Amino acid sequence: MAILLSKGSTSTAAASQPATLPSDVANVPTGRAMWAMMAMMLGSNLLASFNQSLMNIALDQVATDFSVSLSVANWMVLGFTIVAATVITMAASLLKRFGIRKVMMFGYITSLVGSLLGFFAVNFPMMLAARLIQALTVGLFFPVVTSVILTISPAGKKGTMLAINSGVIGVGLAFAPMLAGMMLTYFGLRSLFLIPAVMSVVLIGLGTFFLHDIYKRQDRTIDALSVALSFLGLGAVIYGLNEISRDWLPSLIIMLVGVAIVALFAWRQFSIKTPLLNLAPLQHPKFVFGETLMMLGYMGSIYMSLLVPLYLEGTAGYTAFMAGCLLALPILCYAGSCFVGGRIEDKHGVWPLVPAGFLLLLVGFIGMEVTSSMLLTFAMMGCVALSYIGVGLVFPTLKAVDLGALPKEIYAHGSSIHSTLVQIAGSIGSALFVGIMSADADRLMATGATKAQAYAAGFSHTLYIDLGILAVAFIASIIFARLMRKKSN
């Protein structure tokens, strides 16, 4: 579809259009049309972030309502991220084949369908199916939105726009626990799905007017075997992690099988003519190093979004609504620091921004360990806020640097890889931490401990594990930032 330019946009075209365009771009909107489409992209990621974090505050309630363990309830998160990661590997190919309008509208519709199914769910399998359908939206939106922002952002503003995008996602992550907690506390578990349902309807209406196709269409095939390998491999790895603290030998075998399937998936991408996921960005060392750091840092973020609510509800005794309110301010700190980090990176680069961010993350986690063991809830949430500020300084910066290191022609593939790795890191963190905490809680309550005592012990155990991961990430971030500083000089 040809892109319609708003009146008065001609005078601003030179200032708002990127200096050079990738060869696969047909047209880029300018002026008001460009900013309207940018707003649609940000709104779409707001919906995606809300869908992704919808159940973070609700795992304890899911386990209670459906009489399942925390590790089983955690499949509301794990199943979601496995499907999202699989779809992300397809996103670049789908974008080329069908264009932005069809891909985004399909995402809005699947979000609506999944939300309605969740609202009417009468058992755990139905609600899990609803989450898997919602995951299609996240799998499509995160990489596609990033690719579009990189393409249409004005010259010299890519880092800032990516930071704003991360901030918008952060706002969604901040208000999702609070709104979800309010709905959960006063209206029940199924009511959570009403919020994304309304958001989906609004975006369907706006998308009719403000979405434009900007990429040249290509008749790309979708390799079904690659889709199956991606889903099975990730599923096996995540299942093994989720159960490894309960029955380690079978879980380890399943994990190794999953790793082998993922390796087969990667080999196939290099051996077929039209790969499902172009892995060419992995040939760029700067991109690989930065993405590895991102995954380590994101595991710290997923810890806070999943296990802090479990601590607040299971140990401190807060309702889901109060837990969501307590989480809102720290996550808003993340949103604000995303913008600050993007501005600093645009002007000064990654040194010392990235190491400073990881240091704040690490110090915050140390404070969480001390304050949580003393049941100092508000002091602990201050430490959570400090950690979220560190995450906000790190994520948009690494994302901008990593994708900026790639040729323009593979932006979309780099974005897909980035979003896939985010989902994988989230799945690993969720399976590892919630799986261990669930096993600890079940074991301790079976020996006579109260739920509060069992949750507190599991929280402390997993916190020590994440501290070790973040310590490694901090050391690696110093090496990365110094290398990037030397290359920029």
Side-chain angles (χ1 to χ4, degrees):
M1 175 179 178
I3 294 179
L4 303 177
L5 302 181
S6 300
K7 290 182 181 180
S9 64
T10 306
S11 61
T12 60
S16 62
Q17 191 167 347
T20 59
L21 299 178
S23 60
D24 62 345
V25 174
N27 292 292
V28 173
T30 58
R32 286 189 295 246
M34 185 270 287
W35 290 114
M37 189 162 177
M38 188 75 76
M40 282 296 303
M41 295 298 103
L42 297 177
S44 300
N45 260 359
L46 185 63
L47 171 63
S49 66
F50 198 95
N51 275 334
Q52 177 157 298
S53 58
L54 187 65
M55 284 292 164
N56 290 0
I57 201 77
L59 290 184
D60 187 58
Q61 191 66 46
V62 170
T64 301
D65 284 4
F66 295 115
S67 301
V68 297
S69 68
L70 274 178
S71 63
V72 173
N74 194 37
W75 280 100
M76 290 287 186
V77 176
L78 296 181
F80 185 99
T81 52
I82 291 168
V83 171
T86 302
V87 175
I88 284 169
T89 64
M90 305 164 58
S93 296
L94 291 172
L95 183 60
K96 301 289 187 183
R97 185 179 178 89
F98 297 107
I100 291 171
R101 282 180 60 86
K102 289 184 177 179
V103 168
M104 299 299 289
M105 293 299 284
F106 178 78
Y108 302 145
I109 292 170
T110 55
S111 175
L112 178 60
V113 171
S115 299
L116 292 176
L117 179 61
F119 180 71
F120 291 106
V122 296
N123 52 40
F124 182 81
M126 281 186 67
M127 190 166 286
L128 178 59
R131 291 292 290 159
L132 300 184
I133 294 172
Q134 286 182 320
L136 299 174
T137 301
V138 172
L140 291 173
F141 282 7
F142 281 166
V144 169
V145 167
T146 298
S147 178
V148 172
I149 288 175
L150 284 169
T151 300
I152 70 176
S153 292
K157 297 294 183 181
K158 286 183 171 58
T160 299
M161 295 310 302
L162 285 175
I164 292 174
N165 178 52
S166 296
V168 167
I169 293 174
V171 170
L173 295 174
F175 284 99
M178 184 169 61
L179 293 175
M182 180 182 69
M183 301 294 286
L184 186 64
T185 300
Y186 298 109
F187 303 104
L189 183 61
R190 293 165 188 81
S191 67
L192 297 182
F193 292 90
L194 288 177
I195 301 171
V198 172
M199 295 173 67
S200 302
V201 170
V202 172
L203 286 169
I204 288 172
L206 293 176
T208 305
F209 299 100
F210 299 119
L211 286 177
H212 306 293
D213 285 325
I214 63 176
Y215 297 107
K216 297 175 183 177
R217 302 282 283 278
Q218 300 175 13
D219 187 17
R220 294 177 63 105
T221 58
I222 305 297
D223 183 52
L225 180 56
S226 293
V227 175
L229 290 173
S230 174
F231 181 79
L232 292 174
L234 290 175
V237 171
I238 299 310
Y239 177 84
L241 273 173
N242 195 49
E243 299 297 323
I244 197 163
S245 58
R246 297 177 183 274
D247 198 351
W248 72 269
L249 184 57
S251 299
L252 180 61
I253 293 173
I254 292 172
M255 285 174 57
L256 293 175
V257 171
V259 170
I261 295 174
V262 171
L264 183 59
F265 166 83
W267 172 82
R268 183 165 178 79
Q269 304 319 294
F270 287 109
S271 63
I272 59 179
K273 184 177 180 180
T274 54
L276 182 66
L277 182 63
N278 188 334
L279 299 180
L282 297 181
Q283 297 173 342
H284 296 261
K286 185 190 297 187
F287 179 83
V288 173
F289 198 166
E291 290 299 295
T292 302
L293 276 177
M294 177 277 304
M295 291 182 70
L296 293 176
Y298 191 71
M299 290 177 69
S301 174
I302 203 70
Y303 183 95
M304 292 186 288
S305 66
L306 288 177
L307 271 76
V308 169
L310 288 175
Y311 175 89
L312 293 173
E313 295 172 52
T315 299
Y318 287 100
T319 64
F321 177 48
M322 285 304 301
C325 290
L326 287 171
L327 279 167
L329 182 58
I331 303 177
L332 284 175
C333 291
Y334 161 77
S337 64
C338 280
F339 179 74
V340 172
R343 298 283 290 182
I344 294 174
E345 190 276 328
D346 271 344
K347 293 182 178 180
H348 304 291
V350 299
W351 177 266
L353 185 61
V354 171
F358 273 106
L359 181 60
L360 289 177
L361 186 55
L362 184 60
V363 170
F365 265 69
I366 294 172
M368 284 168 57
E369 168 58 29
V370 174
T371 54
S372 65
S373 64
M374 301 171 66
L375 294 178
L376 300 174
T377 304
F378 289 101
M380 188 191 85
M381 296 311 296
C383 297
V384 172
L386 182 65
S387 295
Y388 265 121
I389 291 172
V391 173
L393 294 178
V394 166
F395 280 0
T397 302
L398 286 176
K399 188 174 184 179
V401 170
D402 296 349
L403 295 179
L406 301 175
K408 296 180 185 296
E409 289 73 18
I410 56 174
Y411 269 167
H413 300 295
S415 176
S416 293
I417 291 173
H418 171 85
S419 298
T420 302
L421 293 177
V422 167
Q423 296 299 320
I424 291 173
S427 297
I428 291 173
S430 176
L432 180 64
F433 301 137
V434 177
I436 291 174
M437 184 168 179
S438 176
D440 286 351
D442 290 347
R443 183 177 62 255
L444 290 171
M445 285 192 288
T447 61
T450 66
K451 180 180 177 180
Q453 292 171 333
Y455 272 41
F459 184 80
S460 180
H461 182 191
T462 52
L463 193 54
Y464 276 117
I465 295 172
D466 207 13
L467 276 170
I469 294 171
L470 292 175
V472 172
F474 172 61
I475 295 170
S477 71
I478 296 174
I479 298 171
F480 175 78
R482 296 289 293 182
L483 287 173
M484 296 305 101
R485 186 183 186 189
K486 288 180 181 179
K487 288 184 179 181
S488 64
N489 289 339

